[in-house]
């Protein structure tokens, strides 16, 4: 019997007691992943090298505008939603040996369809380090730095189009969703851009991009080192500066300045306009609210004034 067993052990094919392991090994393992996701593939190495160069590069500064820091969107649902809304992205990090559910498959498909997004596979400890221990669920999306315009660029763009500038400036607005809503309203009513202070203010984060519903791709956001000086420069250029305030001297419907070149300044919902900005404004107007509400958030207030300006301009 021993000799017979030795002869059998040298043969190819299923072995006694294998439990069908070879048969299961022949079963399909799903669709072939993209080349950028295959370990050791040349395209993956190239994508990893490109991402490392992008992370290590210093942002280039524009005149008075500059770039924000890169941002990470963390978690399966946030990553998928960001990709659906067209939030700019440079790299999609996917955890090694991740459970391939519908959200993971959709994220990979959206990234591949958009193009220009590097796909990188990383071990869980690396993603933990990148996200400072947040619950990333195996998906991390890197949003590149936003390219801010200079406040003067918004005026130049309006003149290039043969139009009077219609600009919104935000004073002390810290919620990125409010910034995104203002960008969307500026785009909807033919405005020429938004100005935000460099400090203590919301910037163009992934949340702002999502709320803008894609309009941030065509509506510039400028960043001012000092908002008061930027407004004074606008005044010297012949542009009226109108501040929204609950205790404004005039009502919105009575304001003729909206007919021409104008900057609409919107403060935070709680504190309103800061003292220096309020003193810089040519006019301080209030939005009539017969329903008795004390205030409106920045996105709603800006939308109302922009609609009135667009109506007057015909």
């Amino acid at each position: 019997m021993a000799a017979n067993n030795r002869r059998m052990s040298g043969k190819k094919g299923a072995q006694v007691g294998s439990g069908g392991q070879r048969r299961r090994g022949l079963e399909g393992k799903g669709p072939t992943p993209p080349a950028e996701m295959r370990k050791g593939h040349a395209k993956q190495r190239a994508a990893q090298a490109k991402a490392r160069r992008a992370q290590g590069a210093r942002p280039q500064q524009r005149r008075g505008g500059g770039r924000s820091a890169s941002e990470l969107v963390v978690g399966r649902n946030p990553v998928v939603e960001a990709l659906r809304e067209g939030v700019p992205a440079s790299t999609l990090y996917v955890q090694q040996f991740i459970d391939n559910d519908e959200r993971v498959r959709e994220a990979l498909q959206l990234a591949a369809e958009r193009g220009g997004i590097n796909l990188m596979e990383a071990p869980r400890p690396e993603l933990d380090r990148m996200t400072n221990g947040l619950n990333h669920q195996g998906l991390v999306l890197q949003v590149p730095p936003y390219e801010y315009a200079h406040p003067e660029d918004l005026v130049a763009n309006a003149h290039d189009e043969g139009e009077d500038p219609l600009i919104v400036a935000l004073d002390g607005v810290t919620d990125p969703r409010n910034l995104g809503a203002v960008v969307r309203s500026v785009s909807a009513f033919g405005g020429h851009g938004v100005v935000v202070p460099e400090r203590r203010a919301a910037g163009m984060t992934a949340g702002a991009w999502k709320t803008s519903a894609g309009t941030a791709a065509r509506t510039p956001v400028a960043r001012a080192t000092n908002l008061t000086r930027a407004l004074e420069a606008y005044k010297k250029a012949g542009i009226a500066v109108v501040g929204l305030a609950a205790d404004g001297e005039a009502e919105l419907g009575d304001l003729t300045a909206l007919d021409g070149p104008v900057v609409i300044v919107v403060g935070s919902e709680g504190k309103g306009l800061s003292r220096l900005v309020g003193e810089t404004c040519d006019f301080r107007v209030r939005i009539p609210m017969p329903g008795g509400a004390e205030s409106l958030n920045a996105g709603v207030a800006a939308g109302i004034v922009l609609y009135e300006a667009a109506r007057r301009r015909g």
Side-chain angles (χ1 to χ4, degrees):
M1 291 294 291
N4 189 42
N5 283 341
R6 283 194 295 272
R7 287 195 300 271
M8 291 295 293
S9 63
K11 291 184 178 180
K12 296 181 180 179
Q15 300 295 315
V16 176
S18 67
Q21 292 178 9
R22 289 181 60 82
R23 183 175 66 253
R24 287 197 297 271
L26 295 175
E27 294 177 358
K29 297 182 180 180
T32 302
E36 293 85 349
M37 294 289 294
R38 297 181 217 160
K39 186 175 182 180
H41 195 283
K43 286 192 175 181
Q44 188 196 54
R45 293 195 299 271
Q48 290 173 340
K50 183 177 180 181
R52 284 194 295 270
R53 289 194 300 270
Q55 286 180 313
R58 289 188 176 183
Q60 296 178 353
Q61 294 296 318
R62 298 178 61 193
R63 176 178 55 89
R67 301 176 73 176
S68 60
S70 60
E71 181 188 3
L72 297 178
V73 179
V74 176
R76 298 190 183 187
N77 284 336
V79 166
V80 170
E81 290 172 4
L83 290 170
R84 285 176 182 168
E85 294 295 335
V87 174
S90 56
T91 306
L92 174 62
Y93 294 92
V94 183
Q95 181 182 312
Q96 289 177 342
F97 314 116
I98 191 174
D99 294 332
N100 196 8
D101 67 3
E102 291 183 3
R103 292 169 297 176
V104 174
R105 289 193 291 270
E106 183 176 0
L108 291 171
Q109 181 180 354
L110 290 170
E113 289 175 352
R114 281 179 48 179
I117 299 179
N118 298 316
L119 296 175
M120 293 189 63
E121 191 176 44
R124 183 182 181 90
E126 176 65 14
L127 297 184
D128 291 341
R129 183 194 63 77
M130 288 174 54
T131 61
N132 291 323
L134 295 176
N135 184 22
H136 52 74
Q137 300 175 303
L139 285 185
V140 177
L141 187 69
Q142 186 173 41
V143 178
Y146 180 78
E147 289 275 2
Y148 289 97
H150 187 277
E152 294 177 4
D153 296 338
L154 308 186
V155 179
N157 293 342
H159 290 162
D160 289 343
E161 297 173 9
E163 299 173 352
D164 286 332
L166 176 58
I167 299 167
V168 174
L170 300 182
D171 178 27
V173 175
T174 58
D175 189 341
R177 293 170 296 183
N178 266 334
L179 172 57
V182 171
V183 170
R184 188 173 184 178
S185 294
V186 169
S187 176
F189 295 113
H192 301 101
V194 181
V195 181
V196 296
E198 186 173 331
R199 298 180 180 179
R200 294 185 292 277
M204 283 305 298
T205 64
W209 268 97
K210 286 170 59 178
T211 309
S212 78
T215 58
R218 57 180 181 272
T219 302
V221 176
R223 189 163 60 180
T225 305
N226 184 295
L227 183 59
T228 302
R229 286 203 294 266
L231 295 177
E232 290 173 346
Y234 281 144
K235 292 173 66 172
K236 291 179 180 178
I239 303 173
V241 177
V242 175
L244 300 186
D247 58 350
E249 297 81 10
E251 284 196 356
L252 178 62
D254 300 329
L255 186 67
T256 59
L258 294 178
D259 299 353
V262 64
V263 178
I264 302 160
V265 189
V266 184
S268 65
E269 184 175 355
K271 298 180 180 179
L273 299 176
S274 62
R275 181 181 62 83
L276 288 177
V277 168
E279 293 174 353
T280 305
C281 294
D282 295 310
F283 308 96
R284 284 165 30 99
V285 299
R286 62 184 183 274
I287 299 175
M289 292 182 284
E294 293 184 0
S295 63
L296 300 170
N297 68 37
V300 174
I304 292 172
V305 183
L306 286 165
Y307 167 77
E308 177 67 13
R311 186 186 68 81
R312 288 169 175 260
R313 294 170 181 229

